[in-house]
Amino acid sequence: HLVKDELTLDETDWRRTAHILSHGSLAAGYLTGNFDVTSVSSAASTGIMDLRNNQWRREMLDAIECPEYRDLAWNALPRIIDHQEPVGSLSTACGVSVAPMIFPTSDDQQAGLIGGGAVDAGQMAIILGTSAVVNSSSDQIPRGDQLDVMRLNWGPYLWMRCYNNGAQFLNKIVGRNPAWATLESEASAVPAGSHGTLIAPFLFAEPSLGVMTPRLRWLPRQPRERGIRYRAALEALAYLIALGVKQHEKAGQAITRITVSGGVARSPLMCEILASVLDRPLDLLVSDEGPALGAAVTALAAMENHLRRHNGVSEPFTVADAVARMVRFRGTVQPNPAWRSVYRKGLSQFSKSLG
């Protein structure tokens, strides 16, 4: 954004900019009146913070051509604070009689990871929403450069693969306001592999896979039957997620648990297909709003620790403790053994179709 701003903002706008904040930290500023701080995860998402020590790196601003603008940007960056340090109390301007405390915010990827219950190394959260996201926690930086990496507020690293094509792709296939129960029934009657039908699910480009332009294509041809189209679309989304999981493993992640949430996870068939493609059990979350739940979890951990320090209680209350209190699961989906070989072949064909 700063590089773009150098081209689009005039000198007056640069000079009058007092604070540079991400959306979460800006919201906390409006709620409390404190615009001078940001969280570790919010700072990490800017690409300007050193993930190893949670400090801003001035060298990253060298991407700005004008030296004066670099200085202005550097002086406008907020202080990065610990996730247990309050930003402040809710401002009286918000019209409330009791002012709760506001703690450092989470960026959306951290919130989604924690909303999926993934706080410890090896735990993975898959979010099947508008985008399809494969995130995991680790105490190490990933090997190689195939994944995005960020830092979590309480210490570990967040490994991430975010695909542009999720629910939007499915909506393109099934149309607006379909009868989901009927679709689910029709697709469940179709055998695994959808009679050899594959679809390239790239309604949007997917640069991480080398797909630089949209590519929505049926192989060998688009089937007439709605159930086949829907099942093939679910399988394509599962193959896409499987490639993300493989990238995590290649980068050194030893996966111990996978949770699944998001609107698409409401489909029992999708969850069974995904478990079978990954050949792993999947824990299903009660909540479909993983990021919102994750933000609440981190707030609970921060508030509880703040109160314990105030009351002289030495025992810490960790984010994992907060997850245990708030994140609920509705069951576990096991791989279908009868589908295993079909989906192993299907994943191979899908990978080859990427070119």
Side-chain angles (χ1 to χ4, degrees), residues 58 61-62 64-75:
R58 187 170 183 134
L61 296 178
D62 288 346
I64 302 172
E65 185 175 353
C66 175
E68 182 182 3
Y69 289 174
R70 292 178 210 155
D71 291 340
L72 289 169
W74 178 255
N75 292 327

Side-chain angles (χ1 to χ4, degrees), residues 90-108:
L90 190 64
S91 171
T92 55
C94 295
V96 295
S97 57
V98 178
M101 304 199 77
I102 306 298
F103 288 90
T105 58
S106 300
D107 86 295
D108 55 349

Side-chain angles (χ1 to χ4, degrees), residues 153-175:
N153 279 356
W154 55 95
Y157 295 96
L158 183 155
W159 298 8
M160 178 177 68
R161 171 56 64 230
C162 181
Y163 294 116
N164 298 318
N165 297 278
Q168 294 180 91
F169 153 67
L170 285 180
N171 291 339
K172 178 69 173 179
I173 300 302
V174 302

Side-chain angles (χ1 to χ4, degrees), residues 256-271:
T256 59
R257 187 183 73 182
I258 300 178
T259 65
V260 180
S261 63
V264 182
R266 296 172 187 161
S267 163
L269 180 59
M270 177 67 215
C271 294

Side-chain angles (χ1 to χ4, degrees), residues 32-55:
T32 64
N34 183 3
F35 294 92
D36 296 323
V37 297
T38 192
S39 68
V40 169
S41 75
S42 293
S45 69
T46 67
I48 306 174
M49 190 191 84
D50 189 328
L51 301 181
R52 298 165 295 185
N53 58 20
N54 299 343
Q55 299 295 315

